[in-house]
Structures are given as C-alpha cells and as structure tokens.
Amino acid sequence: MNIVKQGYNPYLPSWEYIPDGEPYVFDGRVYVYGSHDRFNGHAYCLNDYVCWSAPEGDLSDWRYEGVIYRKTDDPLNPDGSMCLYAPDVTVGPDRRYYLYYVLDKVPIVSVAVCDTPAGEYAFYGYVKYADGTRLGERDGDEPQFDPGVLTEGDVTYLYTGFCAVGDRTRSGAWVTVLGPDMLTVTEEPVVVAPSEPYSQSSGFEGHEFFEAPSIRKRGDLYYLIYSSVVMHELCYATSRSPTRDFVYRGVIVSNNDLHIDTYKPADKPMYYGGNNHGSIVEIDGAWRIFYHRHTNGTNFSRQGCIEPIRFLEDGTIPQAEMTSCGPNGGPLEGRGEYPAYLACNLFCKDEALYTGAPGEWMDSRFPKITQDGRDGDEELGYIANMRDSATAGFKFFRCSGIRKVKIKTRGYCRGVFEVRTSWNGPVHGRIPVVFTNVWKEYSADLVIPDGVQALYFTYTGEGGASLASFALESSTDQDR
C-alpha cells in the first residue's frame, strides 16, 4: 500500500492497542504511557506496559521503545493473574521517572521507578501513610484506581478514583499529597470532583466523575481531566489550587462525537463509544488531547487517538471533533491511498451509543475496525462487516481536481459503495462491488469538490463487505 507519510488517527500502528494515554514531552520527544490491550482479548489491559515516543515536531514518526514494566514485576502479582490498569508518570525531585499504577484486584497504588523516560522500570513501593498503612487499606479509605500524578518541587499530587452511578460508597475523585520520597502521604486525601450520588448543586450534574483522573497545569490554572459517568466523554474542571475548588468547565472530546452539532445532530453518535481516558499536553507550541477509541466490536481492543485543541481567553476548551487527521494538525493530502482503519466515523442504520457492556461483542449488524491474525501480528487494520447502510467516514482531506476514487474490498457481497462528502449529503459517485475471497480493487470516475472535505463511504446491497483502503486520483494523476 503506497501511503503518503502523514500523521493519522490512530497515531500508532493499527496492530497496537494502547488506551488510557498519558502524554508528556521530555527532552524534545513525546512519550505516551498507557495500559496495553490485547487484540481479541477477553478483558481490559491484558498485556505489559510498553512505551512509544515521537519527535516533538513530527507526530507521524512513532518509535516503539519496548516493554517498560511487566505485570509480574509487582511483588503482589508474581503469577501475573492481575492486570496492569491505567498508569501515569511523573518526574520526581531526584529527576527520576516514577510510574504510578493500580493492579486490577487490589485497592492500593504501586510505584515503579526508572532513570530514563522509556527504560525498564523497577518496582519501588506502595503509596502509604506515615505509619506504614497503605493508602486504600486504612479504615475510611476508598479503593484506589486510575492514578494521575503531578509533581511540583518536593510535592506530588496523586489523583485517584472510580465511581459508578448510584454507588454511595464512592465519593468522587480524590487527591492525596505525597512527600519527596514519592510514596509517603503528607496531606490527607480530599475529594476534588463529586461522584453522581453526591453531585447535587455542584455544577458537575450530568457529567459527574466516573474514572480516569489526569492533572495538568497551564499558566496558573490546574486542569483536572476525567471520564464522566456517561463514559464516552473526557470532561475537565479547573482550579487555581491543586487540592480544592475545582469547577466543572465542559467536555474536551467524546469518542462518539456526541454533543457536536456542526456537521450532524448533537445527539447522533458517529462512532461506537465506550469508556474514555486520556489527557492534554502542549507539543511544539500546540495543545492536543489524547484519548482512545474502541475497535474489533468489543471494549477490550482500544486504540489511541489525538486531536488538536484550543483555549479561549477564559481558559475554556471548545469540544474537539473526532478526525482521521488529528496528529497531522490539519487536513491530509487529497491524493494517494489511505487505509480504511483511519475511519473516525463508523455507523449504520442501527444506532448504538456504546460498543457494549464489558464482555459483550457487537453482533453482525454492526461494522467494526479489526485486523487479521493474532495479537502482536503486524497485520494492517481494515473495516469488516459493512452491511447495507454501513458508513465509514474520514476527515479531513485537502482536495483538488479529484476525478477518480478506488477502493479495495473483499467478502460475500453484491452492491455498491456510495461516495459522499457529508454523512447525509448528495452522492458524488457509486462504486459497484461483488463477492471475492481476496482483496480486489474497484473504481469509479467521479468529481469530489475542491477544498477541505470529509469523505464518507456507504455500502448498500446484499451480504457484507470488508473495506481495506481507498485511493484518490486527480486529473493530473490520470494524465501521467
């Protein structure tokens, strides 16, 4: 596949599944830390922690840094029966890198340490009170979950929490202050964002804290990013203090583009949503939001995505739109071949807000982004199970003189792919397809209007098609 090198979503290779991304810039490189899903996995976060990095000025050039921590490295998990849930990393007063995480069946926070951002981390200890009692095990403590950390001088702020709707045993997101040893509690935990049962008159109503706290500072404002009780959205609250007075401000991104009404109704899901986790970071002078999407028709094969964000004068962040070109910082070239797994919109006539409850798989009505082979096989992703009405959307492209569109499909199908520049707009052309056991190319002469455009491919017909890629050709290309 002859693909022009640009920044795409998902930003890592299509066979890599790194959700819960916490991005940082260290010495001119962007490092992403997250949990590690398994293709065709039966649960969240089955694999060991790995790290990827890219030059700050080129988010198309990601480098695999290798395994940085194994689930069996924790003394509580010698047999690997527990999973490594979403981690975070901070630089301590000693300039070493500290990895905070929670295993999936214990209520405490573990810490590992390394001299470099992406080396092999070594177990360091458990967050504890001065008397040695581990945080999460003292009477009155709530179980720890999804640690997010920020270090300022000799002080580290640790944010944790998981709060299901209706669970009155969980109060919200907690912050605990740690001393210079990165382990010992120096200030008692306090709630900074309420759970659903305790949100009345808080300003968080409808977007209460669920999980995934992440903390960043911009100017004199602290930004608490978190997943709300509706799961698919990453919300944020701000304060001038890291430990109190956080005010709900809005949604940064939704992994099914809910709330956005610029190109579709605000309540129409444009992708199959699910839990979300990520954070914001300034890269080469521009701010981005890292988040994840769900693939393979399940909750357990999640992939990281990036979108640019902007700040208004009052510090608020308008909601970002899901795109295929987010890491690129602008539209993709309207020429050449693109893999179908870059779809930022994916839906059919049977609407669904969520991929499904944990453990459930979407049935054959729904299209899904998937791959051949097994976990770890470097097989290029594609869209499977495109049945009548299934639509894949790609945004955005800088189009000029496009006169032909090609697609590669396979499957038990007989129908056409309709090509549009909006999800419900006029059809610019139709590409007939028929049954084939191997990837086969089809094409149609058509005109895509010049300018920055979205592209939508809708299958209508019998059976189900898989879509591997599409290619755009201009009149200049055809004359060559």
Side-chain angles (χ1 to χ4, degrees):
M1 187 178 291
N2 184 21
I3 303 170
V4 179
K5 187 173 183 290
Q6 300 171 91
Y8 310 117
N9 277 327
Y11 57 91
L12 297 180
S14 65
W15 54 83
E16 182 63 288
Y17 299 87
I18 307 292
D20 309 326
E22 288 284 355
Y24 292 96
V25 177
F26 298 130
D27 298 324
R29 291 191 70 84
V30 182
Y31 292 84
V32 177
Y33 306 90
S35 49
H36 195 183
D37 282 355
R38 182 175 298 172
F39 176 64
N40 273 338
H42 63 276
Y44 296 113
C45 314
L46 290 173
N47 290 337
D48 295 326
Y49 289 146
V50 300
C51 184
W52 289 77
S53 74
E56 190 174 5
D58 186 359
L59 295 184
S60 71
D61 187 20
W62 290 90
R63 181 176 75 198
Y64 177 59
E65 301 286 356
V67 175
I68 61 171
Y69 197 71
R70 292 171 174 80
K71 64 184 73 175
T72 54
D73 289 339
D74 192 297
L76 293 178
N77 197 35
D79 63 355
S81 61
M82 289 188 280
C83 295
L84 296 167
Y85 273 176
D88 199 7
V89 166
T90 188
V91 182
D94 58 1
R95 306 309 300 167
R96 294 197 295 171
Y97 297 82
Y98 289 84
L99 174 75
Y100 289 74
Y101 65 94
V102 171
L103 294 166
D104 67 352
K105 295 181 180 66
V106 295
I108 61 177
V109 179
S110 302
V111 186
V113 66
C114 187
D115 291 333
T116 60
E120 292 192 15
Y121 283 71
F123 179 78
Y124 178 64
Y126 302 105
V127 175
K128 64 185 188 306
Y129 294 99
D131 66 0
T133 305
R134 294 184 296 199
L135 177 67
E137 293 182 332
R138 189 179 69 175
D139 288 345
D141 281 357
E142 294 185 12
Q144 301 297 290
F145 195 79
D146 282 356
V149 281
L150 173 68
T151 299
E152 294 184 318
D154 288 341
V155 174
T156 294
Y157 302 99
L158 169 67
Y159 300 78
T160 57
F162 174 88
C163 305
V165 173
D167 185 352
R168 301 191 67 84
T169 69
R170 306 291 181 95
S171 305
W174 292 80
V175 60
T176 304
V177 181
L178 307 181
D181 68 353
M182 311 299 286
L183 294 176
T184 304
V185 175
T186 59
E187 292 184 24
E188 292 285 308
V190 294
V191 174
V192 289
S195 65
E196 181 269 335
Y198 300 100
S199 65
Q200 186 175 357
S201 302
S202 68
F204 286 79
E205 294 92 339
H207 305 277
E208 294 93 343
F209 175 80
F210 173 54
E211 62 180 356
S214 179
I215 190 72
R216 295 292 188 271
K217 190 177 184 183
R218 178 180 179 267
D220 61 353
L221 273 183
Y222 294 89
Y223 285 76
L224 177 66
I225 297 96
Y226 67 94
S227 176
S228 81
V229 292
V230 297
M231 294 177 60
H232 59 77
E233 61 185 23
L234 287 182
C235 299
Y236 71 109
T238 62
S239 176
R240 297 189 186 280
S241 166
T243 60
R244 65 182 185 276
D245 302 329
F246 277 90
V247 176
Y248 175 78
R249 305 302 293 273
V251 176
I252 304 177
V253 71
S254 157
N255 62 21
N256 55 21
D257 255 5
L258 230 62
H259 316 309
I260 291 179
D261 62 3
T262 53
Y263 72 100
K264 48 85 179 178
D267 60 352
K268 178 176 176 58
M270 298 298 282
Y271 195 89
Y272 303 110
N275 67 7
N276 209 345
H277 192 148
S279 197
I280 62 175
V281 66
E282 186 177 18
I283 300 172
D284 201 23
W287 284 83
R288 314 287 181 116
I289 175 73
F290 283 60
Y291 65 105
H292 65 238
R293 70 177 191 182
H294 293 243
T295 70
N296 203 35
T298 174
N299 279 268
F300 306 137
S301 299
R302 299 163 295 173
Q303 295 181 317
C305 295
I306 302 171
E307 307 295 351
I309 59 172
R310 59 191 177 92
F311 291 84
L312 303 183
E313 288 186 7
D314 63 356
T316 56
I317 306 170
Q319 184 175 336
E321 184 176 323
M322 288 182 69
T323 70
S324 306
C325 64
N328 204 48
L332 302 170
E333 294 292 330
R335 54 177 291 273
E337 187 176 15
Y338 290 92
Y341 74 81
L342 304 183
C344 56
N345 295 158
L346 190 63
F347 56 91
C348 65
K349 61 187 176 184
D350 296 305
E351 285 194 343
L353 269 176
Y354 300 104
T355 305
E360 293 181 357
W361 289 66
M362 301 186 77
D363 63 32
S364 60
R365 289 173 296 168
F366 301 99
K368 64 180 181 180
I369 294 171
T370 188
Q371 68 173 74
D372 291 335
R374 300 174 298 178
D375 185 61
D377 289 348
E378 296 186 0
E379 293 277 353
L380 202 63
Y382 62 92
I383 303 174
N385 203 38
M386 295 194 74
R387 298 183 180 273
D388 188 67
S389 82
T391 300
F394 306 82
K395 297 183 293 189
F396 291 97
F397 299 88
R398 187 176 290 105
C399 299
S400 178
I402 295 176
R403 296 296 181 266
K404 177 177 282 190
V405 175
K406 299 177 179 179
I407 61 174
K408 287 181 181 175
T409 71
R410 74 181 183 195
Y412 288 93
C413 59
R414 184 179 298 275
V416 299
F417 275 86
E418 298 173 340
V419 183
R420 295 177 171 84
T421 51
S422 61
W423 70 276
N424 62 347
V427 177
H428 296 291
R430 292 177 171 85
I431 307 174
V433 297
V434 295
F435 163 69
T436 171
N437 280 320
V438 296
W439 295 114
K440 186 175 180 180
E441 185 175 271
Y442 303 88
S443 66
D445 294 326
L446 53 84
V447 175
I448 299 295
D450 290 351
V452 176
Q453 302 287 1
L455 292 174
Y456 287 87
F457 296 82
T458 300
Y459 176 71
T460 62
E462 301 172 357
S466 292
L467 180 65
S469 68
F470 63 93
L472 309 175
E473 286 189 4
S474 68
S475 53
T476 304
D477 296 324
Q478 294 174 346
D479 292 340
R480 290 175 181 169

